[in-house]
Amino acid sequence: MEKSVLSVSRRYSFACIVLGSALAGCAAPDVKPVMDPLVIQGSLSYAARIALLPDSRAIVVLRDESTPAMPVVGEQRIELTGAQVPVPFRFTVDRTKLAEGHRYALRRAVTTAGRATSVSDPMPIDPSKPTADVGTLMLKPYQALAFASVFYCGDTRVEVGFTDSAMRMLARNQAFDLRQVVAASGARYEAVNDPTTSFWNKGERATLVIRGKAYPECFEGEPALPLRATGNEPGWRLDIAPSGMTLLADTGAAGSRRRPPSRDALRRAPATARTRERPRSPSKSWTACAGIR
């Protein structure tokens, strides 16, 4: 009888081992734990004893500074409605938007009636920490550029001018302090401490490079009408005016008229279609205004 009980016990133990192994083989696959978002908090202030207007807005954004586009990965916009500094802020960033090895920086500003009145320098943020408590961040008055000129490099708007102490370029929501470098022609500038960012002005045209990325050829201001483009073999002429476009071909064909293109389309047109047969603007180029050639 004792041997029979012992045999049953052994069989039971063996069955448990087999069943346990089978259940282990059918276990659910590993599931990655849900990561808590990155919390960014602090406050904004400034030293000047000037009250903020009721329509002021505080803007805090976190940007990925590892790419030329510098995409926004998190932000907070605060309608102040009469509130004064210090202005507290707190927002979260989904960690799936944070790439390993990328550099991130916090940028802040206060706007009134849609115009910046106070800004700050970018602050690096460590995305590996659970919370980035940046404390009180001091803003400084936004300084408009003197002798400023606006260029369009494809869809990118670039403003170049002078502050009290340096030349500055505003492009893609970034500000770059520039220094002049030797160039065979025109006036070429590089960003201070970043030779991979440059602006090379040649009168009404320029070339722009930001962190090694070259942008389309830059043209000063908005294209003005009328415009005229010509070509040979066979000869042709295209006139663009507010009333429409006229194409004259040296083939005996009658000219054709079309609606004028939008200004955005003109800005992106190739250089061969930008030949302007109109009096030059009486204003000098920004390099001449500043006494630089």
Side-chain angles (χ1 to χ4, degrees):
M1 182 68 178
E2 183 178 351
K3 291 183 180 181
S4 178
V5 173
L6 182 60
S7 177
V8 171
S9 177
R10 288 176 179 175
R11 290 177 183 177
Y12 178 77
S13 299
F14 178 75
C16 289
I17 293 172
V18 173
L19 180 61
S21 299
L23 292 176
C26 297
D30 292 338
V31 178
K32 293 183 178 180
V34 177
M35 298 182 66
D36 293 332
L38 170 64
V39 178
I40 301 178
Q41 61 187 22
S43 62
L44 304 178
S45 188
Y46 54 76
R49 296 183 178 180
I50 302 175
L52 294 171
L53 296 178
D55 60 345
S56 296
R57 172 189 291 178
I59 303 174
V60 186
V61 299
L62 182 69
R63 290 183 178 272
D64 183 348
E65 309 238 331
S66 299
T67 63
M70 296 182 62
V72 174
V73 295
E75 66 177 332
Q76 184 179 16
R77 297 172 180 265
I78 306 170
E79 301 294 341
L80 299 181
T81 59
Q84 302 298 317
V85 295
V87 178
F89 64 85
R90 186 181 189 277
F91 65 100
T92 60
V93 180
D94 186 349
R95 289 192 181 273
T96 61
K97 298 181 179 179
L98 303 174
E100 186 177 357
H102 282 213
R103 303 185 314 273
Y104 297 92
L106 197 66
R107 295 173 179 267
R108 298 83 63 193
V110 171
T111 65
T112 300
R115 295 178 177 272
T117 56
S118 301
V119 296
S120 70
D121 296 326
M123 166 175 282
I125 295 295
D126 183 359
S128 66
K129 296 182 178 180
T131 301
D133 192 342
V134 297
T136 300
L137 303 176
M138 301 302 292
L139 303 173
K140 56 186 178 182
Y142 172 75
Q143 190 172 26
L145 300 179
F147 299 106
S149 291
V150 174
F151 288 78
Y152 279 90
C153 312
D155 291 331
T156 300
R157 185 180 188 274
V158 179
E159 186 175 354
V160 183
F162 292 86
T163 65
D164 291 339
S165 58
M167 181 174 175
R168 179 166 294 175
M169 176 177 70
L170 306 178
R172 304 193 67 84
N173 298 314
Q174 306 170 71
F176 301 92
D177 286 334
L178 306 177
R179 61 184 181 87
Q180 189 169 11
V181 295
V182 177
S185 62
R188 187 172 185 273
Y189 298 85
E190 288 183 354
V192 177
N193 299 325
D194 181 12
T196 65
T197 297
S198 64
F199 184 81
W200 193 345
N201 175 257
K202 299 179 180 179
E204 293 184 345
R205 299 188 181 189
T207 57
L208 172 68
V209 179
I210 298 179
R211 295 188 178 91
K213 178 183 177 181
Y215 286 78
E217 185 177 17
C218 308
F219 292 86
E220 184 177 8
E222 297 279 359
L225 298 178
L227 300 179
R228 172 172 293 178
T230 60
N232 298 310
E233 299 180 3
W236 59 272
R237 189 183 80 193
L238 177 66
D239 292 327
I240 304 176
S243 58
M245 298 186 297
T246 303
L247 175 63
L248 301 176
D250 191 16
T251 59
S256 60
R257 296 181 65 86
R258 295 288 187 273
R259 291 182 178 179
S262 66
R263 290 187 178 274
D264 187 60
L266 287 173
R267 218 168 33 231
R268 294 196 297 266
T272 54
R274 290 177 173 269
T275 304
R276 289 185 251 191
E277 292 192 1
R278 62 182 178 85
R280 288 178 59 85
S281 171
S283 63
K284 300 178 181 179
S285 70
W286 59 269
T287 50
C289 287
I292 298 175
R293 257 308 171 193

